[in-house]
Amino acid sequence: MTVVISHRGLEPEKDSYFIESSFEAFSDQSIRGFGLEFDLVFSADDSIFVFHDKGLERISNGQDKRLFSQMTAKEIAGI
């Protein structure tokens, strides 16, 4: 038996992909029968977010090095 686990919403047969860890990525993979794997991160006020990294460095091209654990849920939601 083969089990396929989707992590970031990539679609190799297409020229595009869903934004990683987005509702659309999870929904598409679930509809197609793939298992889902995702990362949880916690904010400074203990809210839970689904995001691959522990901080903002990759998505900000190194401009913002804060960790999610250093920000409140309100600050994260505003990004």
Side-chain angles (χ1 to χ4, degrees):
M1 180 171 128
T2 301
V3 177
V4 178
I5 305 289
S6 173
H7 178 63
R8 299 176 102 180
L10 298 176
E11 180 57 67
E13 292 87 29
K14 297 180 183 177
D15 291 334
S16 62
Y17 60 92
F18 295 103
I19 295 171
E20 67 183 67
S21 299
S22 67
F23 175 80
E24 293 81 9
F26 291 147
S27 179
D28 177 69
Q29 301 303 309
S30 179
I31 288 169
R32 295 191 298 146
F34 297 134
L36 300 175
E37 183 271 326
F38 53 90
D39 302 297
L40 299 177
V41 294
F42 291 85
S43 65
D45 53 357
D46 293 324
S47 292
I48 299 171
F49 289 83
V50 175
F51 199 77
H52 182 71
D53 302 325
K54 293 182 182 197
L56 300 173
E57 189 168 1
R58 180 175 56 94
I59 63 168
S60 70
N61 293 321
Q63 300 298 309
D64 192 336
K65 297 183 189 222
R66 290 178 294 167
L67 301 175
F68 285 100
S69 62
Q70 298 171 319
M71 298 180 284
T72 66
K74 186 175 181 178
E75 288 175 298
I76 295 167
I79 296 173

